[in-house]
Amino acid sequence: MNDTFIEKLLEKENGRQNSVINLIASENYVSNDVMNAVGSVLMNKYAEGYPGKRYYGGNSVIDEIELLCQKRALDLFGLSPDDWSVNVQAHSGSPANMASLMALAPIGATIMGMELSSGGHLTHGHSASATGKIWNQVSYGVSKETEVLDYDEIARIAMQAKPAVIIAGYTAYPRQVDWKRFRQIADQCGAYLMADISHISGLIAGGVYPSPFAYADVVTTTTHKMLRGPRGALIFSRNDERKLSKKIDSAVFPGIQGGPHMHSITGIAVALYETTLPEYHTYTQTVVDTARALADILAGLGWRIVSGGTDSHMILIDTWMNGRGVSGKRASELLEERGIIVNMNTIPFDTRAPSDPSGIRIGTGAIVTRGATIDGMQELAKKIDGILRG
């Protein structure tokens, strides 16, 4: 590389990634095949529009790649193209959610999503996000006693607010979601049901977490977490008289984006192929098994695990514990100093500021990609415990 400054920084970051224990729940490691696809000649092509309907010439091969990516996305979740469509062009999860809401809810309408402190995402209608400025968010949370979803309370809020869209699926909620119950609630109040499975799509594909596809109208996911692809997103929508796929396609382009990142879409296609390999199911099961083991061991060492455990790759730990521990920010700093990377995170009913909350969020997806097993969780938990207790 002629740019020696960037070359040195790339080498530095590569060294960092190879020397740490990465417990960030929203990160993972791509294969060399995915990386090569993203850094390929596809970087050079502009492909504004959709297959067969491009605004630039020279896109015959591009069309084949995008159609293949769409087919692999539908096949991954066992979806028939007669019943479902998928848009693969959203640059990431936030624009995917924005485009979906644009297709489902008129400007100014009410949408319903989980409050941020309980595990919801900014793009589910939080006031700091454009989604909270364009639409009116009515939020729901978790039970104060159990720290899990209270579906009767969610139904009560929905019937009172009558939202256009109910969003289920979260960024920091470690337990299983009852998709069927959400469908019933949405039907009762006349709302679309949108499932954001960005964190758990790989677990669903691997058969170790319940699927929302029998119940949701629209399903969104990023591709760079448990699917181990490049940064991008998928938007699935039902094919019926509501023509949701057409509305979503228009919302993505020309609604909020120009040309798609075809190099990323190619990398996504490769990652989707890799999920069909036999070892992928084993990978997802190991991810969940290690997360549960790590949560149980940390609880045994005296740390409070939010909601009492996990059903996914994700664990929320209350490090503050009424002042007996350390803040989430300080916990993250202490762990990073010793080569363990996590992110600070709010916990339900947090009394501390989001900039220095009461907890941390950890995940096992990345470490299992690099070979971690249940056998290593005892040592990892003891290391975390020793660092945080000083």
Side-chain angles (χ1 to χ4, degrees), residues 250-273:
S250 296
V252 174
F253 170 80
I256 61 173
Q257 294 182 182
H261 295 173
M262 286 309 305
H263 57 299
S264 289
I265 291 173
T266 307
I268 292 169
V270 175
L272 293 173
Y273 162 74

Side-chain angles (χ1 to χ4, degrees), residues 116 122 125-133:
L116 198 67
L122 286 167
H126 190 274
S127 59
S129 163
T131 58
K133 296 174 172 60

Side-chain angles (χ1 to χ4, degrees), residues 204-223:
I204 293 167
V208 297
Y209 193 100
S211 171
F213 283 98
Y215 307 105
D217 299 297
V218 170
V219 179
T220 64
T221 180
T222 54
T223 52

Side-chain angles (χ1 to χ4, degrees), residues 22 24-30 34 38 90-96 121 171 196-202 221-234 264 267-268 271-272 280 283 313 361 365-366 369:
N22 184 6
I24 293 181
S26 53
E27 291 185 0
N28 216 316
Y29 299 102
V30 302
V34 170
V38 175
H91 294 163
S92 196
S94 291
H121 193 262
T171 191
D196 182 347
I197 60 171
S198 292
H199 267 278
I200 53 176
S201 55
T221 180
T222 54
T223 52
H224 49 269
K225 298 183 178 78
M226 290 302 300
L227 289 177
R228 299 193 294 193
R231 301 197 171 269
L234 309 173
S264 289
I268 292 169
L272 293 173
Y280 187 76
Y283 163 72
H313 65 304
R361 181 187 68 166
T369 293

Side-chain angles (χ1 to χ4, degrees), residues 20 49 65 87 170 172 184 266 283 288-289 303 306 330 353:
V20 301
I65 291 172
N87 184 297
Y170 314 102
Q184 293 168 347
T266 307
Y283 163 72
V288 175
D289 290 344
W303 295 98
V306 172
R330 184 60 182 149

Side-chain angles (χ1 to χ4, degrees), residues 142-165:
V142 296
S143 164
K144 195 164 188 177
E145 290 72 31
T146 64
E147 296 177 313
V148 299
L149 292 166
D150 181 341
Y151 294 98
D152 290 340
E153 175 64 8
I154 293 169
R156 185 194 67 76
I157 296 171
M159 290 304 296
Q160 183 176 15
K162 295 294 177 68
V165 182

Side-chain angles (χ1 to χ4, degrees), residues 58-78:
N59 275 301
S60 58
V61 176
I62 296 300
D63 283 0
E64 290 188 57
I65 291 172
E66 185 165 344
L67 290 170
L68 178 60
C69 187
Q70 290 175 324
K71 182 181 186 304
R72 288 179 175 177
L74 293 172
D75 288 347
L76 176 63
F77 296 104

